[in-house]
Amino acid sequence: MAAPLLVKTKRALRSLLAERRMESAPRGRPFDVGLVPTMGCLHEGHLSLARRARVENDLVVMSLFVNPTQFGVGEDFDRYPRDLDRDLHLAGDVGVDAVFHPLPGEMYDPGHCTWVDVEGLTDHLCAAGRPGHFRGVATIVTKLFGLCRPERAYFGQKDAQQAFLIRRMAADLDLGVEVVVCPIVRDPDGLAMSSRNVYLTPAERGQAPTLYRALREAEAAIEAGERDAGVVTATVLSVLAEAPLGRVDYVEVVTAEDLQPVDVILGEVVVAVAVRFGATRLIDNVMVKA
Ligand code: AMP
């Protein structure tokens, strides 16, 4: 497929979208824009979102932006993997029309002082260990929604808390964007794809599929009738102990509806884990119906 248009400024993005919407107006039918926000270093997980966006929209915009405001002090902002040429190629292969790749200074004016905070999600899952992270995510996604005015935006279930928060934010602020959450794409050995997997040493990579193995054990236990979240958590921890290079950040069982921790499993839940291998933090989750 054709290479996507590379757009580096907000102004160019706005005019491209205005032009395309105007061109389609005489046809008298809706013109739908699908947005796929990413930090680049694309893998099959990102591409699955873009493929879905391609099917459901007239124009697909993918953003490639390593957003500085969602990284904490000492996190991997500087060394986050970046490979624009490869990303453009892959995005073109799945039919992305335009890639928005701004510099940080283009997105954040020196006087920037407006932030989007989604309350009530600050004390568990990834929010506990990454203060300020979701504020950065919610702010950049709001800005991207404002720039692209998409009909739909695509996120991965891999980042379950992020997807939940964006959906909540879009509803609370009447942003008029349908938030589409797509399934987790995995390597053949079960490891959830992530741009950060490239950081893993061969030994760490060998142990990393333990996360998914542990989650599958949790899933099997719940499906077999276990309703005590403490027991399920202990099961996950016992499997994770088989990966001695990993340090567990959290194991939580939360409701699928609002991601609140539960003691007793009823209805649909998400079992979520975060494990550090050296400086690399991996996350994964499964949704299970009791
Ligand atoms: P990132 O570039 O890591 O910020 O991810 C951009 C989008 O891709 C987010 O909505 C992620 O949830 C989604 N994503 C990342 N990894 C996967 C995966 N393995 N499967 C499905 N979606 C993913």
Side-chain angles (χ1 to χ4, degrees):
M1 277 199 228
L5 262 170
L6 176 60
V7 182
K8 294 191 166 189
T9 65
K10 297 191 273 195
R11 193 193 168 99
L13 181 62
R14 279 210 176 92
S15 45
L16 169 76
L17 289 162
E19 213 173 87
R20 294 293 167 87
R21 285 193 195 276
M22 208 144 64
E23 281 166 12
S24 82
R27 283 183 243 135
R29 60 174 190 84
F31 181 80
D32 289 356
V33 174
L35 172 67
V36 184
T38 81
M39 297 204 298
C41 191
L42 300 180
H43 52 67
E44 270 303 314
H46 300 115
L47 299 178
S48 70
L49 311 186
R51 282 195 196 94
R52 171 118 184 233
R54 176 70 287 159
V55 171
E56 296 179 349
N57 300 278
D58 298 292
L59 186 88
V60 178
V61 178
M62 175 183 271
S63 59
L64 303 179
F65 181 61
V66 184
N67 173 35
T69 66
Q70 70 190 67
F71 287 78
V73 177
E75 289 190 353
D76 56 342
F77 174 72
D78 288 327
R79 68 184 187 113
Y80 195 86
R82 294 160 168 93
D83 190 342
L84 179 61
D85 288 342
R86 179 177 169 276
D87 286 353
L88 286 174
H89 193 81
L90 291 171
D93 282 350
V94 292
V96 168
D97 296 296
V99 162
F100 180 49
H101 180 58
L103 288 171
E106 173 71 10
M107 288 313 283
Y108 293 102
D109 184 274
H112 182 100
C113 57
T114 303
W115 302 98
V116 181
D117 258 314
V118 182
E119 294 180 351
L121 286 172
T122 47
D123 52 357
H124 61 103
L125 300 175
C126 291
R130 302 190 73 188
H133 169 69
F134 286 119
R135 184 177 88 147
V137 169
T139 303
I140 192 67
V141 171
T142 304
K143 285 163 74 64
L144 291 169
F145 284 5
L147 285 164
C148 296
R149 311 266 158 147
E151 274 63 31
R152 296 178 197 86
Y154 295 81
F155 295 87
Q157 174 64 24
K158 156 103 182 338
D159 298 273
Q161 195 172 16
Q162 168 175 285
F164 173 76
L165 167 144
I166 302 292
R167 185 172 270 165
R168 182 78 251 172
M169 175 187 91
D172 288 351
L173 299 181
D174 299 314
L175 299 181
V177 180
E178 181 192 342
V179 174
V180 181
V181 181
C182 304
I184 300 176
V185 178
R186 302 177 178 283
D187 278 337
D189 61 7
L191 177 63
M193 289 191 176
S194 164
S195 306
R196 289 190 167 101
N197 291 351
V198 299
Y199 297 149
L200 298 171
T201 65
E204 290 165 347
R205 177 65 189 79
Q207 294 184 15
T210 313
L211 272 76
Y212 187 48
R213 247 186 342 105
L215 292 171
R216 299 239 347 235
E217 291 268 331
E219 188 176 38
I222 296 168
E223 282 171 358
E226 184 56 66
R227 294 292 172 264
D228 183 334
V231 172
V232 171
T233 302
T235 304
V236 173
L237 285 169
S238 72
V239 180
L240 290 176
E242 293 166 22
L245 296 174
R247 259 184 315 118
V248 177
D249 229 19
Y250 65 74
V251 175
E252 288 195 44
V253 183
V254 297
T255 56
E257 199 193 338
D258 55 8
L259 300 194
Q260 292 305 312
V262 294
D263 294 325
V264 179
I265 297 170
L266 292 168
E268 196 167 20
V269 292
V270 177
V271 186
V273 296
V275 177
R276 283 177 202 275
F277 286 89
T280 309
R281 188 168 167 284
L282 302 182
I283 58 171
D284 200 352
N285 67 84
V286 289
M287 282 175 80
V288 197
K289 269 205 181 86

